[in-house]
Amino acid sequence: MKLIDPHIHMTSRTTDDYSAMAAAGIVCVVEPAFWLGQPRTHAGSFEDYFLSLVGWERFRASQFGIRHLCTIGLNPKEANSASLVAAVMDLLPLYLEKEGVVAVGEIGFDDITTAEERCFAEQIELAARAELPILVHTPHRDKVRGTERSLALVRECGFPAERTLIDHNTEETLPITLEAGCWAGHSVYPQTKMDERRMALLVKQYGSERILINSAADWGVSDPLKVPKTAAVMREAGIDEAEIERVVWRNPIEFFTSSGRIDASEFEEPVSVDQRRLWQGNSVLRGQTPAVKEQ
Ligand SMILES: [Zn+2]
């Protein structure tokens, strides 16, 4: 079965991860712009980061046969960096137009501050203007309140629920996300938050409509193979193949093709691998024999 990881921060992962993901059947990733573990001190650092998401990281994924898409936005944590917000917001319209950008995100709430809310609302407006869907991060602390406030804000802004993906859902937030008509992402982490078994139970209870799963893997304790591992646990739990395929394949395609930037038929074509290629003169190889797999 072919799989998509619709929320993963590959910038902080290794080429071993790309190889293992490709071997496990992952053919496409969506990398949302987020923070780097510490706040940036210059707006220019955001610009270079956005450039790497649409440039080097996209190339790096291609070198392992994985299609790389991304979302661009000012993340909720750094929406609180008062001196940088205006300059970063000014950068966004340009980067939202770049090839491979399929949503505005991740936006939303972290500490649920006034600054976060202002930035969130402004980026919903930007998404409406750019005709892109939105990817909404929900807070780790006070998740239910953060999710309710996010859903209310999306509604107040008049933004369509069917173009909204609320991410990092749990048992407590999934019902309200589905009820609101939004898509529901789930981040499956080692040890904390959602795990494979709990995710399988949710699919048994709620079905597969508008439900997505991701690894949200980044520089923290996380596992880039959580999508294939969760698919395997869902299979063991007796969930039928069509339902699993909908969660790990058809739903992310349907949501992100609503951007109008990509076509569902592109996902049927394998990405050819040519490690002889360079990106601005640079290769992922360190003297190894280039792999070449023409499709
Ligand atoms: Zn994330």
Side-chain angles (χ1 to χ4, degrees):
M1 184 181 285
K2 288 193 290 188
L3 310 148
I4 295 175
D5 191 335
H7 187 144
I8 184 164
H9 303 288
M10 291 311 298
T11 301
S12 40
R13 308 302 307 193
T14 65
T15 55
D16 282 357
D17 289 335
Y18 270 128
S19 299
M21 289 163 70
I26 295 174
V27 300
C28 175
V29 293
V30 180
E31 176 156 8
F34 85 142
W35 81 310
L36 303 178
Q38 62 180 39
R40 277 159 277 214
T41 56
H42 298 83
S45 307
F46 280 89
E47 183 155 31
D48 286 331
Y49 174 62
F50 297 154
L51 281 166
S52 76
L53 291 182
V54 297
W56 172 245
E57 202 54 47
R58 189 174 160 87
F59 168 77
R60 221 163 66 95
S62 75
Q63 296 299 282
F64 298 89
I66 294 179
R67 190 179 311 268
H68 183 279
L69 303 167
C70 70
T71 77
I72 295 286
L74 173 54
N75 65 83
K77 254 197 150 73
E78 289 175 286
N80 297 304
S81 300
S83 62
L84 300 183
V85 169
V88 178
M89 292 296 292
D90 284 348
L91 288 173
L92 294 179
L94 172 67
Y95 286 93
L96 291 176
E97 291 304 317
K98 301 280 184 195
E99 195 183 340
V101 177
V102 288
V104 173
E106 45 193 305
I107 55 176
F109 288 115
D110 177 54
D111 256 347
I112 323 187
T113 64
T114 318
E116 289 168 20
E117 176 153 335
R118 192 180 325 117
C119 231
F120 187 1
E122 283 179 22
Q123 292 187 91
I124 293 174
E125 295 299 321
L126 273 184
R129 276 204 291 279
E131 296 181 350
L132 284 171
I134 55 174
L135 172 57
V136 179
H137 165 95
T138 54
H140 307 298
R141 302 170 301 272
D142 225 350
K143 185 175 281 291
V144 174
R145 188 165 72 92
T147 305
E148 285 169 344
R149 190 66 208 113
S150 299
L151 293 168
L153 188 65
V154 168
R155 210 176 308 116
E156 286 159 25
C157 292
F159 195 82
E162 67 274 14
R163 288 167 71 74
T164 302
L165 170 52
I166 303 287
D167 218 330
H168 317 311
N169 279 279
T170 61
E171 287 84 352
E172 285 179 296
T173 59
L174 176 58
I176 54 176
T177 298
L178 290 179
E179 176 84 0
C182 297
W183 296 74
H186 301 80
S187 299
V188 183
Y189 286 100
Q191 288 127 33
T192 57
K193 288 192 195 165
M194 188 51 64
D195 66 23
E196 292 93 323
R197 276 168 25 90
R198 282 164 59 198
M199 193 61 233
L201 288 174
L202 283 176
V203 172
K204 281 196 153 178
Q205 186 179 350
Y206 293 92
S208 55
E209 197 182 337
R210 284 183 282 123
I211 289 188
L212 288 82
I213 56 172
N214 60 67
S215 70
D218 57 14
W219 29 252
V221 177
S222 49
D223 177 354
L225 297 180
K226 281 299 188 189
V227 171
K229 286 178 182 175
T230 305
V233 170
M234 289 197 285
R235 200 166 285 127
E236 281 163 29
I239 297 169
D240 68 56
E241 287 299 298
E243 297 266 294
I244 299 172
E245 192 191 27
R246 187 169 189 181
V247 171
V248 300
W249 181 252
R250 289 196 290 128
N251 282 347
I253 291 176
E254 189 179 335
F255 180 75
F256 288 108
T257 53
S258 80
S259 65
R261 302 285 180 88
I262 45 167
D263 192 90
S265 64
E266 291 171 35
F267 290 89
E268 298 306 325
E269 299 156 22
V271 179
S272 48
V273 173
D274 185 352
Q275 293 185 343
R276 295 168 304 189
R277 281 176 57 222
L278 302 175
W279 173 258
Q280 296 180 349
N282 294 315
S283 163
V284 293
L285 300 183
R286 298 292 178 266
Q288 296 89 352
T289 307
V292 179
K293 203 169 72 193
E294 308 283 0
Q295 301 294 343

